Amino acid sequence: MITPTSYEALAKLIETEDKLVLFFTADWCPDCQFIYPVMPELEAENTGMTFVRVNRDQFIEVAQEWHILGIPSFVVVEKGKEVGRLVNKLRKTKAEINAFLAVYH
């Protein structure tokens, strides 16, 4: 998983041709903590997608611009454009996230 440290690095990632999964999160979020242990499995099961961890607190303007109202949230981006989102304030399971991502393979 890629963890950008600047707005420039995040923007450069979003502008690539790659299919990205933006994982909006924050370390203080208990539902995010719940999903952290399975993130390596999700990445391994969804090859062809590059996972990008976006710290909501560090990139608050990006979260606002992308209308991320709850975390953890997942946004699939292809060629710089959003193609799908799983954004809500509910706890998400590995199966739920995999089912969401399967649509965008």
XYZ file of all heavy atoms in Angstrom:
851
model
N 0.848 -1.172 0.000
C 0.000 0.000 0.000
C 0.893 1.233 0.000
O 1.874 1.302 0.719
C -0.902 -0.010 1.241
C -1.853 1.162 1.241
S -3.133 1.139 2.504
C -3.794 -0.487 2.375
N 0.525 2.169 -0.819
C 1.271 3.421 -0.913
C 0.662 4.414 0.069
O -0.563 4.529 0.168
C 1.207 3.984 -2.340
C 1.819 2.990 -3.337
C 1.888 5.337 -2.421
C 1.585 3.350 -4.785
N 1.517 5.132 0.791
C 1.058 6.157 1.725
C 1.719 7.475 1.355
O 2.849 7.739 1.752
C 1.411 5.769 3.182
O 0.873 4.475 3.457
C 0.834 6.769 4.168
N 1.025 8.308 0.576
C 1.620 9.591 0.181
C 1.790 10.511 1.385
O 1.009 10.450 2.341
C 0.626 10.166 -0.817
C -0.652 9.465 -0.561
C -0.319 8.145 0.039
N 2.814 11.354 1.321
C 3.090 12.266 2.433
C 2.878 13.728 2.060
O 3.055 14.591 2.899
C 4.532 12.068 2.939
O 5.424 12.269 1.846
C 4.723 10.673 3.516
N 2.510 13.976 0.807
C 2.275 15.366 0.389
C 1.121 15.393 -0.606
O 0.799 14.381 -1.233
C 3.525 15.949 -0.263
O 3.757 15.331 -1.518
N 0.536 16.573 -0.745
C -0.528 16.754 -1.732
C -0.009 16.482 -3.134
O -0.715 15.917 -3.963
C -1.115 18.168 -1.638
C -2.096 18.321 -0.509
C -1.705 18.852 0.710
C -3.424 17.925 -0.658
C -2.613 18.986 1.760
C -4.330 18.055 0.379
C -3.926 18.585 1.584
O -4.815 18.710 2.613
N 1.229 16.878 -3.395
C 1.811 16.674 -4.711
C 1.935 15.190 -5.029
O 1.623 14.762 -6.144
C 3.187 17.358 -4.805
C 3.132 18.864 -4.715
C 2.973 19.401 -3.283
O 3.225 18.660 -2.308
O 2.559 20.563 -3.147
N 2.399 14.410 -4.057
C 2.549 12.968 -4.265
C 1.187 12.309 -4.495
O 1.046 11.444 -5.371
C 3.250 12.332 -3.063
N 0.184 12.720 -3.732
C -1.156 12.162 -3.906
C -1.725 12.542 -5.271
O -2.277 11.691 -5.984
C -2.079 12.643 -2.779
C -3.523 12.137 -2.838
C -3.588 10.619 -2.849
C -4.314 12.702 -1.661
N -1.564 13.787 -5.666
C -2.064 14.237 -6.972
C -1.395 13.476 -8.111
O -2.053 13.071 -9.073
C -1.836 15.737 -7.128
N -0.090 13.246 -7.989
C 0.640 12.512 -9.025
C 0.111 11.081 -9.149
O -0.050 10.560 -10.249
C 2.139 12.510 -8.702
C 2.995 11.945 -9.819
C 4.460 12.083 -9.511
C 4.865 13.517 -9.833
N 6.323 13.694 -9.821
N -0.193 10.449 -8.006
C -0.757 9.098 -8.028
C -2.116 9.082 -8.730
O -2.383 8.224 -9.568
C -0.919 8.563 -6.606
C 0.341 8.089 -5.915
C 0.088 7.894 -4.430
C 0.822 6.788 -6.542
N -2.966 10.026 -8.381
C -4.322 10.067 -8.940
C -4.285 10.300 -10.446
O -5.125 9.777 -11.175
C -5.176 11.131 -8.211
C -5.451 10.659 -6.776
C -6.480 11.394 -8.955
C -6.099 11.687 -5.886
N -3.301 11.028 -10.916
C -3.199 11.339 -12.341
C -2.640 10.191 -13.183
O -2.644 10.272 -14.406
C -2.321 12.580 -12.542
C -2.928 13.838 -11.960
C -4.242 14.236 -12.610
O -4.351 14.136 -13.854
O -5.162 14.623 -11.874
N -2.158 9.120 -12.556
C -1.585 8.008 -13.322
C -2.667 7.247 -14.065
O -3.860 7.427 -13.828
C -0.831 7.017 -12.402
O -1.785 6.346 -11.571
C 0.226 7.712 -11.577
N -2.229 6.378 -14.931
C -3.143 5.519 -15.684
C -3.608 4.326 -14.853
O -4.496 3.595 -15.271
C -2.441 5.014 -16.946
C -2.060 6.110 -17.912
C -3.280 6.731 -18.582
O -4.143 5.989 -19.072
O -3.358 7.969 -18.592
N -2.976 4.113 -13.717
C -3.280 2.945 -12.896
C -4.682 3.006 -12.314
O -5.261 4.071 -12.133
C -2.293 2.841 -11.732
C -0.864 2.603 -12.190
O -0.669 2.181 -13.340
O 0.048 2.855 -11.386
N -5.209 1.824 -12.013
C -6.471 1.731 -11.289
C -6.124 1.778 -9.808
O -5.414 0.919 -9.297
C -7.199 0.436 -11.623
C -8.616 0.392 -11.067
C -9.345 -0.861 -11.490
C -9.641 -0.814 -12.980
N -10.467 -1.945 -13.424
N -6.600 2.814 -9.131
C -6.278 3.034 -7.724
C -7.483 2.762 -6.844
O -8.628 2.971 -7.252
C -5.860 4.481 -7.477
C -4.700 5.054 -8.267
C -4.506 6.520 -7.911
C -3.431 4.268 -8.001
N -7.187 2.329 -5.624
C -8.193 2.274 -4.574
C -7.725 3.238 -3.499
O -6.728 2.984 -2.821
C -8.340 0.854 -3.988
C -9.382 0.855 -2.864
C -8.721 -0.142 -5.077
N -8.402 4.367 -3.393
C -8.076 5.331 -2.348
C -8.775 4.881 -1.079
O -10.004 4.777 -1.032
C -8.537 6.732 -2.748
C -7.973 7.291 -4.047
C -8.531 8.689 -4.303
C -6.463 7.314 -4.033
N -7.984 4.574 -0.067
C -8.485 4.095 1.225
C -8.393 5.259 2.198
O -7.324 5.571 2.701
C -7.643 2.898 1.671
C -7.866 2.426 3.072
C -9.124 2.346 3.624
C -6.779 2.020 3.838
C -9.314 1.893 4.922
C -6.953 1.563 5.133
C -8.224 1.504 5.679
N -9.514 5.952 2.394
C -9.552 7.087 3.316
C -9.701 6.553 4.734
O -10.621 5.783 5.020
C -10.706 8.031 2.970
C -10.464 8.841 1.743
C -10.812 8.367 0.490
C -9.862 10.091 1.829
C -10.589 9.120 -0.654
C -9.630 10.854 0.693
C -9.989 10.372 -0.549
N -8.812 7.001 5.616
C -8.737 6.439 6.950
C -8.179 7.467 7.922
O -7.772 8.556 7.524
C -7.850 5.173 6.919
O -7.866 4.562 8.197
C -6.435 5.478 6.503
N -8.162 7.111 9.194
C -7.502 7.903 10.239
C -7.174 6.951 11.376
O -7.958 6.035 11.670
C -8.402 9.027 10.734
N -6.031 7.142 11.999
C -5.597 6.214 13.040
C -6.486 6.228 14.277
O -6.542 5.251 15.005
C -4.141 6.495 13.431
C -3.177 6.045 12.348
O -3.549 5.198 11.505
O -2.038 6.553 12.333
N -7.217 7.304 14.511
C -8.092 7.378 15.674
C -9.437 6.674 15.457
O -10.212 6.490 16.383
C -8.359 8.842 16.064
C -8.879 9.676 14.925
C -8.134 10.499 14.119
C -10.213 9.746 14.431
N -8.939 11.081 13.168
C -10.233 10.633 13.338
C -11.416 9.147 14.806
C -11.378 10.935 12.619
C -12.567 9.452 14.086
C -12.535 10.329 13.017
N -9.711 6.258 14.243
C -11.007 5.688 13.855
C -11.084 4.198 14.213
O -10.333 3.394 13.660
C -11.181 5.890 12.348
S -12.456 4.899 11.573
N -11.988 3.795 15.124
C -12.068 2.381 15.512
C -12.477 1.464 14.360
O -12.002 0.326 14.285
C -13.095 2.358 16.643
C -13.762 3.683 16.646
C -12.910 4.639 15.883
N -13.345 1.920 13.464
C -13.733 1.082 12.329
C -12.588 0.913 11.343
O -12.492 -0.107 10.661
C -14.971 1.652 11.643
C -16.213 1.530 12.528
O -16.216 0.669 13.427
O -17.157 2.302 12.319
N -11.709 1.912 11.263
C -10.502 1.793 10.438
C -9.556 0.771 11.061
O -8.994 -0.076 10.361
C -9.807 3.143 10.307
S -10.832 4.424 9.546
N -9.388 0.837 12.370
C -8.536 -0.121 13.083
C -9.027 -1.547 12.837
O -8.235 -2.472 12.724
C -8.529 0.175 14.587
C -7.953 1.512 14.977
C -6.452 1.592 14.794
O -5.758 0.594 14.865
N -5.957 2.787 14.541
N -10.333 -1.720 12.757
C -10.940 -3.029 12.524
C -10.511 -3.609 11.179
O -10.288 -4.813 11.060
C -12.474 -2.890 12.602
C -13.229 -4.143 12.269
C -13.364 -5.155 13.216
C -13.827 -4.310 11.026
C -14.078 -6.310 12.910
C -14.533 -5.459 10.717
C -14.659 -6.461 11.663
N -10.386 -2.759 10.165
C -10.093 -3.239 8.810
C -8.589 -3.299 8.508
O -8.163 -4.019 7.606
C -10.868 -2.411 7.751
C -11.056 -3.215 6.462
C -10.202 -1.089 7.466
C -11.942 -4.402 6.603
N -7.757 -2.573 9.264
C -6.306 -2.564 8.998
C -5.701 -3.962 8.865
O -4.923 -4.196 7.938
C -5.543 -1.800 10.082
C -5.667 -0.290 10.034
C -5.307 0.470 11.135
C -6.126 0.383 8.916
C -5.413 1.853 11.128
C -6.240 1.760 8.895
C -5.879 2.489 9.997
O -5.985 3.846 9.987
N -6.016 -4.924 9.759
C -5.352 -6.234 9.661
C -5.631 -6.996 8.367
O -4.818 -7.823 7.962
C -5.900 -7.007 10.867
C -6.350 -5.960 11.826
C -6.822 -4.815 10.971
N -6.750 -6.736 7.702
C -7.060 -7.476 6.471
C -6.673 -6.729 5.204
O -6.836 -7.258 4.102
C -8.552 -7.899 6.404
C -8.901 -8.818 7.559
C -9.464 -6.715 6.330
N -6.145 -5.532 5.329
C -5.771 -4.774 4.131
C -4.738 -5.508 3.274
O -4.886 -5.530 2.045
C -5.305 -3.368 4.503
C -6.430 -2.442 4.961
S -7.802 -2.299 3.800
C -7.004 -1.539 2.381
N -3.706 -6.146 3.853
C -2.776 -6.900 2.988
C -3.472 -8.016 2.204
O -3.150 -8.253 1.041
C -1.745 -7.462 3.974
C -1.792 -6.512 5.136
C -3.233 -6.097 5.237
N -4.446 -8.672 2.814
C -5.204 -9.713 2.114
C -6.039 -9.109 0.991
O -6.120 -9.672 -0.105
C -6.113 -10.457 3.095
C -5.373 -11.228 4.169
C -6.312 -11.744 5.243
O -7.491 -12.034 4.943
O -5.858 -11.860 6.397
N -6.672 -7.984 1.253
C -7.465 -7.313 0.214
C -6.592 -6.938 -0.973
O -6.990 -7.119 -2.130
C -8.149 -6.074 0.787
C -9.355 -6.334 1.677
C -9.737 -5.084 2.455
C -10.530 -6.831 0.846
N -5.394 -6.433 -0.696
C -4.469 -6.087 -1.782
C -4.079 -7.330 -2.581
O -4.063 -7.298 -3.810
C -3.220 -5.426 -1.218
C -3.456 -4.016 -0.740
C -2.170 -3.366 -0.289
O -1.486 -2.763 -1.130
O -1.853 -3.473 0.912
N -3.773 -8.423 -1.879
C -3.353 -9.654 -2.547
C -4.481 -10.249 -3.390
O -4.230 -10.864 -4.429
C -2.880 -10.671 -1.507
N -5.718 -10.074 -2.953
C -6.868 -10.635 -3.658
C -7.374 -9.719 -4.777
O -8.254 -10.112 -5.537
C -7.994 -10.920 -2.656
C -7.621 -12.021 -1.674
C -8.568 -12.126 -0.487
O -9.635 -11.479 -0.495
O -8.231 -12.862 0.458
N -6.852 -8.528 -4.859
C -7.298 -7.559 -5.862
C -6.102 -7.034 -6.647
O -5.846 -5.832 -6.689
C -8.077 -6.423 -5.191
C -9.386 -6.902 -4.618
O -10.359 -7.075 -5.341
N -9.418 -7.149 -3.316
N -5.386 -7.968 -7.271
C -4.232 -7.576 -8.073
C -4.727 -6.738 -9.255
O -5.864 -6.857 -9.688
C -3.471 -8.813 -8.572
O -4.378 -9.628 -9.312
C -2.885 -9.606 -7.418
N -3.881 -5.891 -9.731
C -4.268 -4.994 -10.809
C -4.796 -3.667 -10.293
O -5.102 -2.778 -11.064
N -4.900 -3.573 -8.966
C -5.323 -2.327 -8.339
C -4.222 -1.885 -7.389
O -3.644 -2.705 -6.682
C -6.618 -2.521 -7.552
C -7.794 -2.977 -8.381
S -9.237 -3.296 -7.344
C -10.461 -2.369 -8.247
N -3.932 -0.605 -7.392
C -2.939 -0.056 -6.481
C -3.674 0.606 -5.326
O -4.504 1.490 -5.536
C -2.055 0.978 -7.203
O -1.421 0.335 -8.310
C -1.007 1.555 -6.265
N -3.382 0.167 -4.116
C -4.037 0.706 -2.930
C -3.240 1.886 -2.387
O -2.019 1.814 -2.250
C -4.169 -0.378 -1.858
C -5.258 -1.381 -2.157
C -5.116 -2.306 -3.180
C -6.424 -1.387 -1.416
C -6.116 -3.226 -3.457
C -7.436 -2.294 -1.687
C -7.283 -3.223 -2.710
N -3.962 2.966 -2.094
C -3.346 4.201 -1.604
C -4.042 4.576 -0.304
O -5.255 4.815 -0.290
C -3.479 5.343 -2.629
C -2.841 6.617 -2.090
C -2.872 4.940 -3.965
N -3.273 4.611 0.766
C -3.822 4.991 2.070
C -3.801 6.512 2.183
O -2.743 7.137 2.114
C -2.993 4.358 3.184
C -3.506 4.683 4.558
C -2.690 3.939 5.593
N -3.044 4.379 6.924
C -2.750 3.719 8.017
N -2.083 2.575 7.941
N -3.105 4.175 9.190
N -4.988 7.101 2.342
C -5.118 8.556 2.428
C -5.567 8.905 3.849
O -6.708 8.618 4.229
C -6.128 9.099 1.396
C -6.208 10.614 1.482
C -5.762 8.642 -0.012
N -4.668 9.484 4.611
C -4.998 9.896 5.971
C -5.938 11.099 5.903
O -5.551 12.168 5.438
C -3.724 10.241 6.734
C -3.992 10.615 8.173
O -4.871 11.422 8.472
N -3.231 10.011 9.070
N -7.165 10.899 6.334
C -8.180 11.947 6.234
C -7.765 13.222 6.951
O -8.046 14.325 6.506
C -9.507 11.447 6.802
C -10.651 12.416 6.556
C -11.718 12.244 7.603
N -11.204 12.612 8.912
C -11.536 13.721 9.561
N -12.377 14.569 9.040
N -11.027 13.973 10.750
N -7.082 13.087 8.080
C -6.667 14.266 8.839
C -5.539 15.029 8.144
O -5.503 16.246 8.164
C -6.237 13.862 10.249
C -7.398 13.308 11.056
O -8.564 13.623 10.740
O -7.147 12.543 12.010
N -4.627 14.296 7.514
C -3.513 14.927 6.814
C -3.979 15.563 5.500
O -3.446 16.577 5.074
C -2.422 13.898 6.538
C -1.210 14.463 5.839
C -0.148 13.400 5.585
O -0.303 12.241 5.955
N 0.925 13.805 4.937
N -4.971 14.946 4.865
C -5.462 15.408 3.563
C -6.934 15.813 3.672
O -7.773 15.385 2.878
C -5.279 14.309 2.511
C -3.847 13.971 2.233
C -3.276 12.823 2.766
C -3.061 14.796 1.459
C -1.947 12.509 2.517
C -1.725 14.488 1.203
C -1.165 13.341 1.740
N -7.254 16.639 4.647
C -8.645 17.021 4.913
C -9.287 17.716 3.713
O -10.460 17.483 3.405
C -8.762 17.871 6.210
C -10.233 18.037 6.615
C -8.090 19.214 6.071
C -10.866 16.797 7.145
N -8.519 18.534 2.998
C -9.078 19.209 1.826
C -9.454 18.217 0.733
O -10.467 18.380 0.052
C -8.108 20.269 1.277
C -7.908 21.465 2.185
C -6.807 21.260 3.220
O -6.174 20.177 3.232
O -6.576 22.176 4.022
N -8.648 17.171 0.567
C -8.950 16.135 -0.423
C -10.209 15.388 -0.010
O -11.104 15.146 -0.828
C -7.760 15.160 -0.591
C -8.133 13.994 -1.496
C -6.544 15.902 -1.128
N -10.298 15.036 1.266
C -11.491 14.342 1.761
C -12.741 15.188 1.538
O -13.782 14.672 1.119
C -11.316 13.999 3.241
N -12.634 16.478 1.778
C -13.781 17.361 1.564
C -14.132 17.455 0.081
O -15.298 17.373 -0.300
C -13.496 18.750 2.138
C -13.457 18.763 3.644
C -12.944 20.082 4.213
O -12.288 20.866 3.530
N -13.249 20.312 5.479
N -13.116 17.609 -0.749
C -13.341 17.737 -2.193
C -13.981 16.480 -2.771
O -14.817 16.548 -3.664
C -12.001 18.014 -2.893
C -12.120 18.224 -4.375
C -10.784 18.535 -5.017
O -9.963 19.238 -4.392
O -10.559 18.071 -6.146
N -13.592 15.313 -2.244
C -14.115 14.036 -2.727
C -15.380 13.626 -1.973
O -15.877 12.531 -2.167
C -13.038 12.960 -2.624
C -11.968 13.107 -3.671
C -11.046 14.119 -3.768
C -11.696 12.243 -4.760
N -10.236 13.923 -4.846
C -10.604 12.770 -5.473
C -12.256 11.053 -5.195
C -10.082 12.170 -6.608
C -11.726 10.443 -6.321
C -10.657 10.997 -7.015
N -15.874 14.489 -1.087
C -17.102 14.241 -0.324
C -17.027 12.950 0.492
O -17.949 12.130 0.473
C -18.328 14.217 -1.246
C -18.462 15.461 -2.052
N -18.845 16.670 -1.500
C -18.230 15.707 -3.360
C -18.857 17.598 -2.439
N -18.471 17.045 -3.578
N -15.911 12.800 1.189
C -15.728 11.658 2.080
C -16.324 12.054 3.427
O -15.717 12.799 4.191
C -14.236 11.279 2.216
C -13.619 11.021 0.843
C -14.065 10.092 3.149
C -14.277 9.915 0.040
N -17.518 11.571 3.700
C -18.242 11.976 4.898
C -18.090 10.981 6.046
O -18.486 11.271 7.167
C -19.723 12.175 4.571
C -19.988 13.177 3.448
C -21.460 13.245 3.129
C -19.438 14.551 3.804
N -17.567 9.822 5.770
C -17.341 8.819 6.803
C -16.117 8.003 6.462
O -15.741 7.892 5.298
N -15.486 7.470 7.477
C -14.314 6.617 7.259
C -14.494 5.348 8.075
O -15.179 5.381 9.099
C -12.992 7.333 7.614
C -13.054 7.921 9.013
C -12.642 8.371 6.587
C -11.754 8.504 9.508
N -13.919 4.252 7.632
C -13.108 4.077 6.431
C -13.969 4.137 5.170
O -15.117 3.717 5.186
C -12.498 2.687 6.605
C -13.484 1.950 7.452
C -14.078 2.985 8.366
N -13.391 4.665 4.126
C -14.077 4.744 2.837
C -13.107 4.363 1.729
O -11.898 4.557 1.855
C -14.607 6.165 2.601
O -15.685 6.428 3.464
N -13.675 3.840 0.660
C -12.886 3.375 -0.481
C -13.427 4.026 -1.748
O -14.631 4.003 -2.000
C -12.986 1.853 -0.608
C -12.422 1.121 0.573
C -13.187 0.909 1.711
C -11.112 0.668 0.559
C -12.664 0.251 2.816
C -10.583 0.001 1.661
C -11.361 -0.199 2.784
N -12.516 4.603 -2.539
C -12.878 5.215 -3.816
C -11.978 4.606 -4.886
O -10.749 4.624 -4.754
C -12.718 6.752 -3.778
C -13.045 7.352 -5.138
C -13.589 7.371 -2.686
N -12.592 4.050 -5.926
C -11.830 3.490 -7.037
C -11.677 4.581 -8.090
O -12.645 5.218 -8.493
C -12.527 2.255 -7.636
C -11.734 1.713 -8.825
C -12.706 1.175 -6.575
N -10.421 4.795 -8.507
C -10.084 5.830 -9.477
C -9.349 5.168 -10.635
O -8.449 4.344 -10.420
C -9.181 6.910 -8.827
C -8.761 7.952 -9.843
C -9.875 7.539 -7.638
N -9.733 5.530 -11.855
C -9.049 5.020 -13.038
C -8.784 6.186 -13.974
O -9.696 6.955 -14.291
C -9.916 3.959 -13.717
C -9.185 3.200 -14.790
C -9.964 1.970 -15.258
O -11.139 1.816 -14.916
O -9.354 1.178 -15.974
N -7.541 6.320 -14.380
C -7.118 7.404 -15.274
C -7.531 8.766 -14.718
O -7.979 9.635 -15.455
C -7.660 7.178 -16.672
C -7.133 5.920 -17.312
C -7.691 5.694 -18.683
C -7.184 4.365 -19.217
N -7.833 3.963 -20.437
N -7.399 8.931 -13.397
C -7.674 10.206 -12.761
C -9.134 10.493 -12.470
O -9.462 11.533 -11.918
N -10.037 9.575 -12.823
C -11.473 9.787 -12.638
C -12.050 8.745 -11.679
O -11.704 7.570 -11.750
C -12.220 9.670 -13.967
C -11.705 10.580 -15.057
C -12.212 11.973 -14.881
C -11.836 12.818 -16.082
N -11.340 14.095 -15.784
N -12.951 9.200 -10.826
C -13.645 8.276 -9.925
C -14.573 7.383 -10.731
O -15.344 7.857 -11.560
C -14.458 9.059 -8.897
C -15.240 8.163 -7.975
C -16.098 8.907 -6.967
O -15.730 10.031 -6.570
O -17.138 8.361 -6.592
N -14.493 6.064 -10.464
C -15.379 5.118 -11.134
C -16.282 4.390 -10.143
O -17.229 3.718 -10.551
C -14.606 4.112 -12.020
C -13.924 4.831 -13.169
C -13.607 3.304 -11.219
N -15.989 4.497 -8.858
C -16.839 3.845 -7.860
C -16.445 4.243 -6.456
O -15.317 4.670 -6.220
N -17.403 4.099 -5.530
C -17.102 4.457 -4.144
C -17.912 3.615 -3.181
O -19.039 3.239 -3.448
C -17.323 5.934 -3.889
C -18.729 6.437 -4.068
C -18.969 7.900 -3.672
N -17.894 8.780 -3.993
C -17.466 9.777 -3.207
N -18.073 10.043 -2.080
N -16.452 10.526 -3.561
N -17.285 3.342 -2.074
C -17.911 2.709 -0.911
C -17.643 3.667 0.241
O -16.617 3.587 0.912
C -17.303 1.325 -0.648
C -17.841 0.546 0.551
C -19.343 0.306 0.430
C -17.103 -0.782 0.685
N -18.528 4.632 0.378
C -18.330 5.724 1.325
C -19.544 5.804 2.237
O -20.656 6.064 1.774
C -18.135 7.075 0.590
C -18.018 8.216 1.585
C -16.901 7.029 -0.299
N -19.311 5.524 3.501
C -20.332 5.700 4.527
C -19.647 5.633 5.879
O -18.435 5.433 5.954
C -21.450 4.657 4.396
C -20.943 3.234 4.460
O -20.120 2.894 5.303
N -21.433 2.391 3.564
N -20.384 5.788 6.934
C -19.777 5.797 8.258
C -19.852 4.430 8.936
O -19.503 4.304 10.103
C -20.434 6.855 9.133
C -21.901 6.610 9.381
C -22.485 7.690 10.238
C -23.962 7.385 10.486
N -24.569 8.322 11.378
N -20.270 3.402 8.211
C -20.448 2.082 8.797
C -19.160 1.269 8.775
O -18.320 1.433 7.897
C -21.540 1.329 8.027
C -22.899 2.022 7.951
C -23.847 1.221 7.073
C -23.479 2.250 9.340
N -19.040 0.361 9.737
C -17.911 -0.581 9.740
C -18.055 -1.490 8.535
O -19.140 -1.957 8.221
C -17.938 -1.403 11.027
C -16.832 -2.450 11.067
C -16.770 -3.145 12.397
N -16.103 -2.260 13.337
C -15.772 -2.610 14.570
N -16.062 -3.804 15.024
N -15.159 -1.749 15.356
N -16.948 -1.728 7.852
C -16.967 -2.551 6.657
C -16.218 -3.858 6.912
O -15.215 -3.874 7.595
C -16.331 -1.787 5.490
C -17.160 -0.572 5.098
C -16.310 0.493 4.439
C -17.085 1.759 4.207
N -17.414 2.493 5.422
N -16.701 -4.939 6.312
C -16.038 -6.229 6.442
C -15.175 -6.486 5.215
O -15.367 -5.854 4.157
C -17.065 -7.364 6.571
O -17.801 -7.451 5.338
C -18.014 -7.130 7.747
N -14.281 -7.430 5.343
C -13.431 -7.815 4.210
C -14.303 -8.287 3.053
O -14.074 -7.897 1.902
C -12.461 -8.909 4.642
C -11.586 -9.411 3.521
C -10.722 -10.563 3.961
C -10.050 -11.186 2.768
N -9.422 -12.460 3.075
N -15.319 -9.095 3.320
C -16.193 -9.618 2.270
C -16.930 -8.480 1.567
O -17.069 -8.492 0.335
C -17.192 -10.618 2.854
N -17.398 -7.521 2.312
C -18.112 -6.380 1.732
C -17.189 -5.557 0.819
O -17.577 -5.169 -0.283
C -18.661 -5.506 2.863
C -19.449 -4.313 2.411
C -19.936 -3.456 3.573
O -19.495 -3.644 4.721
O -20.768 -2.582 3.303
N -15.964 -5.338 1.275
C -15.005 -4.566 0.472
C -14.626 -5.336 -0.785
O -14.579 -4.771 -1.878
C -13.760 -4.203 1.311
C -14.170 -3.296 2.480
C -12.705 -3.527 0.445
C -13.115 -3.184 3.564
N -14.381 -6.650 -0.655
C -14.041 -7.462 -1.822
C -15.178 -7.478 -2.840
O -14.937 -7.401 -4.044
C -13.684 -8.890 -1.404
C -12.197 -9.121 -1.371
O -11.436 -8.462 -2.070
N -11.768 -10.058 -0.560
N -16.415 -7.567 -2.372
C -17.568 -7.561 -3.278
C -17.644 -6.231 -4.019
O -17.924 -6.195 -5.222
C -18.854 -7.828 -2.497
N -17.389 -5.141 -3.318
C -17.371 -3.823 -3.943
C -16.273 -3.752 -5.000
O -16.498 -3.317 -6.132
C -17.178 -2.742 -2.869
C -16.720 -1.418 -3.401
C -17.585 -0.620 -4.128
C -15.425 -0.983 -3.201
C -17.155 0.610 -4.636
C -14.989 0.233 -3.688
C -15.859 1.035 -4.411
N -15.051 -4.178 -4.652
C -13.925 -4.089 -5.573
C -14.074 -5.003 -6.781
O -13.585 -4.677 -7.870
C -12.618 -4.390 -4.831
C -12.212 -3.376 -3.748
C -10.975 -3.864 -3.015
C -12.003 -1.993 -4.338
N -14.760 -6.131 -6.628
C -14.924 -7.084 -7.720
C -15.623 -6.453 -8.927
O -15.364 -6.823 -10.065
C -15.721 -8.300 -7.236
N -16.450 -5.471 -8.683
C -17.169 -4.788 -9.762
C -16.208 -4.030 -10.674
O -16.495 -3.838 -11.860
C -18.215 -3.814 -9.154
C -18.892 -2.977 -10.217
C -19.235 -4.588 -8.327
N -15.047 -3.649 -10.152
C -14.134 -2.757 -10.893
C -12.887 -3.461 -11.433
O -11.985 -2.805 -11.910
C -13.749 -1.567 -9.992
C -14.986 -0.842 -9.551
C -15.509 -1.044 -8.290
C -15.653 -0.005 -10.439
C -16.681 -0.411 -7.910
C -16.827 0.623 -10.063
C -17.331 0.417 -8.800
O -18.489 1.033 -8.427
N -12.864 -4.770 -11.377
C -11.708 -5.510 -11.927
C -11.723 -5.493 -13.425
O -12.644 -5.497 -14.102
C -11.679 -6.945 -11.426
C -11.060 -7.064 -10.085
N -9.699 -7.053 -9.879
C -11.604 -7.146 -8.852
C -9.453 -7.159 -8.584
N -10.586 -7.209 -7.954
